[in-house]
Amino acid sequence: MTTYSPDREWQFSYRPNGHTRTVPLKLHWELENDPITDDYMLNQITAAELWDQWIKNYVNLRDDARRHPHTVRILWSVHGPGTAEAAPFQTWDSRLYPGGNDDFLTYYTWPVDPKTGERLQWTRLPVVDKLWRPGQADKGGFIQEHTGWKPSPLQPTVNIDHIAQAAGTTRPDPVE
């Protein structure tokens, strides 16, 4: 299975009024609390410093850390020009995502290739690179920048300890 080209266009309609659009779509990912970058400018903190802060202040202090140490949920959304909705087929707690259980398919029809009529396979959409470097300071980009890791399409969780080990970087302290 190969990933679709990032510029491949998909046609879908807005359910309330039937307005049809044809645009490229991509998957955006967010690990719980990775938007800590909102508090900083790129020239104020490095990706490694953000990683350490995130591990210290979030990963080890989550309410469910004793049950699932170092496992963090991944929230997914589908983005295209003028479109940003929760991705379908996720297994997440609706309290974490504005809109509850609404997702892309709540508001839009299933995307199809406008030339062939092929239905979109969601796990083949390209996953955006989130980075933290001059020219690209993405919300949560410190994770991919510091570790080299990004999730597979619609992956529901990740073990932060495994990422850190593979990257040879700071690992989470054991949960007490």
Side-chain angles (χ1 to χ4, degrees):
M1 176 180 76
T2 58
T3 301
Y4 295 132
S5 163
D7 56 349
R8 184 171 180 179
E9 293 190 328
W10 298 96
Q11 188 172 68
F12 53 93
S13 299
Y14 185 56
R15 290 187 186 279
N17 64 15
H19 176 71
T20 299
R21 299 182 29 215
T22 304
V23 298
L25 297 173
K26 295 180 182 177
L27 289 171
H28 283 243
W29 54 281
E30 180 179 314
L31 298 188
E32 291 180 85
N33 210 41
D34 79 8
I36 63 171
T37 51
D38 288 350
D39 297 336
Y40 301 96
M41 299 296 293
L42 183 63
N43 62 354
Q44 295 175 312
I45 193 166
T46 68
E49 291 168 328
L50 281 166
W51 170 267
D52 289 343
Q53 181 179 329
W54 183 65
I55 294 295
K56 178 182 174 191
N57 295 325
Y58 179 69
V59 172
N60 289 334
L61 299 177
R62 291 187 352 264
D63 289 342
D64 65 345
R66 292 190 192 283
R67 269 194 351 247
H68 307 288
H70 310 149
T71 299
V72 178
R73 290 177 286 216
I74 305 170
L75 302 175
W76 289 95
S77 56
V78 178
H79 290 231
T83 303
E85 296 293 343
F89 311 113
Q90 294 188 82
T91 54
W92 39 262
D93 184 337
S94 62
R95 294 171 295 162
L96 297 175
Y97 216 100
N101 292 321
D102 292 353
D103 64 30
F104 185 93
L105 294 175
T106 303
Y107 302 102
Y108 299 99
T109 59
W110 197 293
V112 297
D113 182 297
K115 295 176 185 158
T116 67
E118 173 192 355
R119 284 172 43 118
L120 170 69
Q121 292 182 25
W122 297 96
T123 57
R124 293 181 62 194
L125 279 177
V127 174
V128 299
D129 286 314
K130 290 175 37 172
L131 302 171
W132 189 257
R133 63 173 70 156
Q136 189 173 346
D138 297 313
K139 183 181 290 197
F142 67 93
I143 295 167
Q144 184 175 348
E145 186 69 43
H146 186 60
T147 67
W149 173 86
K150 77 175 180 180
S152 298
L154 301 181
Q155 176 181 338
T157 62
V158 63
N159 185 298
I160 298 304
D161 195 38
H162 294 167
I163 294 172
Q165 287 176 15
T169 190
T170 305
R171 294 171 47 195
D173 293 329
V175 176
E176 298 175 6

